[in-house]
Amino acid sequence: MPTPHIAAEMGDFAPAVLMPGDPKRAERIANLLMDDARLVTNVRGMMGFTGTCNGKPLSVMGSGMGQPSFTIYATELFSQFGVERIIRVGTAGGIAPSVKVGDVIVATGAHTDSSMNQLRIPGVNFSGVADFRLANAAWQAAQTPEAHQDGAVHFGTVISRDHFYFTPEGQTERLASYNVLGVEMEAAALYGVAAEFGKQALTVLTVSDHLLDHSGDMSAEERETRFQGALRLAVAAAHSE
Ligand code: HPA
């Protein structure tokens, strides 16, 4: 049955869904990975596609930006459409000095300054963690040379911030000293929703800029094209046993 934000029926989504923030990127990824992608929802222009990739069913759908938007779509996909795994594919700002523009980050955990996960269990700072099986599948896929075509692959934590344009003084430097690899805006929400519904989640990010070293930031065009390495890991996780 359609939900407030997804106009589809049970069976329209594959068990595994890749979720970029931008619905236009969802369309590009769907057409890149699948010959038979069909549009299954388009409420508010948030396109979702389903088809087959390497002979296995796969869906790709936009999530919008930020934790509230991601939470709405992930909740509806997990609770109403039989989705078992969501793999966020997106961009991140680099934080740790070892991370370079073009590298890939697999977020095994996500710190956050958002209240969304704090509200889940009263008195608890909920830890947003990736599903170990999906992270392990990405790890296995990262051992091949093709996985490194855009840059190095890092496994570790990110920070999911609510603000894009505001950062408390010194916070980024402190995060770097804790080897937090990068910043984005959704992973912690995804990990919270997956835990709520007992489902699997992973986040695979391409580093588009570096917060402490702006010398090599990607252009808008590069952001759209340099994500093949991340996509390879995401598909490997989506279709792992
Ligand atoms: N902040 C949040 N999300 C991002 C950034 C950033 O600097 N870069 C790419 N995604």
Side-chain angles (χ1 to χ4, degrees), residues 101-186:
V101 171
D103 287 359
V104 172
I105 295 173
V106 179
T108 54
H111 312 288
T112 186
D113 59 8
S114 166
S115 65
M116 292 192 78
N117 282 342
Q118 211 169 26
L119 295 170
R120 289 185 173 281
I121 306 172
V124 170
N125 286 324
F126 179 87
S127 295
V129 293
D131 181 84
F132 181 78
R133 290 155 292 188
L134 297 190
N136 187 45
W139 174 267
Q140 298 298 333
Q143 307 313 309
T144 61
E146 306 87 66
H148 301 263
Q149 65 186 53
D150 294 327
V153 183
H154 308 263
F155 286 72
T157 64
V158 297
I159 172 95
S160 300
R161 275 183 186 146
D162 275 348
H163 278 281
F164 187 90
Y165 289 114
F166 168 80
T167 310
E169 181 86 34
Q171 188 192 78
T172 301
E173 291 77 3
R174 188 70 77 90
L175 288 164
S177 79
Y178 279 73
N179 202 33
V180 175
L181 300 173
V183 55
E184 52 82 81
M185 304 184 76
E186 293 85 13

Side-chain angles (χ1 to χ4, degrees), residues 18-152:
L18 305 187
M19 296 192 80
D22 177 358
K24 286 279 188 198
R25 187 177 296 175
E27 186 174 42
R28 273 195 295 278
I29 291 172
N31 289 327
L32 195 71
L33 295 177
M34 305 186 282
D35 296 329
D36 58 350
R38 68 183 174 95
L39 186 72
V40 293
T41 181
N42 194 16
V43 178
R44 294 175 181 237
M46 197 58 76
M47 293 180 280
F49 300 86
T50 297
T52 44
C53 172
N54 304 327
K56 292 186 179 175
L58 185 71
S59 293
V60 188
M61 180 174 174
S63 69
M65 288 180 281
Q67 301 199 43
S69 183
F70 206 110
T71 298
I72 288 169
Y73 293 111
T75 297
E76 294 181 13
L77 288 171
F78 281 144
S79 68
Q80 305 298 320
F81 295 100
V83 170
E84 293 297 325
R85 1 178 109 153
I86 291 177
I87 294 106
R88 161 162 157 69
V89 288
T91 57
I95 291 183
S98 61
V99 170
K100 308 294 176 208
V101 171
D103 287 359
V104 172
I105 295 173
V106 179
T108 54
H111 312 288
T112 186
D113 59 8
S114 166
S115 65
M116 292 192 78
N117 282 342
Q118 211 169 26
L119 295 170
R120 289 185 173 281
I121 306 172
V124 170
N125 286 324
F126 179 87
S127 295
V129 293
D131 181 84
F132 181 78
R133 290 155 292 188
L134 297 190
N136 187 45
W139 174 267
Q140 298 298 333
Q143 307 313 309
T144 61
E146 306 87 66
H148 301 263
Q149 65 186 53
D150 294 327

Side-chain angles (χ1 to χ4, degrees), residues 205-226:
L205 305 158
T206 304
V207 179
S208 58
D209 52 272
H210 200 290
L211 270 60
L212 301 176
D213 173 11
H214 284 289
S215 58
D217 291 358
M218 281 189 193
S219 64
E221 191 192 338
E222 278 182 301
R223 277 177 187 241
E224 291 310 320
T225 52
R226 280 182 70 178

Side-chain angles (χ1 to χ4, degrees), residues 192-210:
V193 180
E196 180 182 351
F197 292 100
K199 307 285 186 176
Q200 300 178 341
L202 186 68
T203 299
V204 185
L205 305 158
T206 304
V207 179
S208 58
D209 52 272
H210 200 290

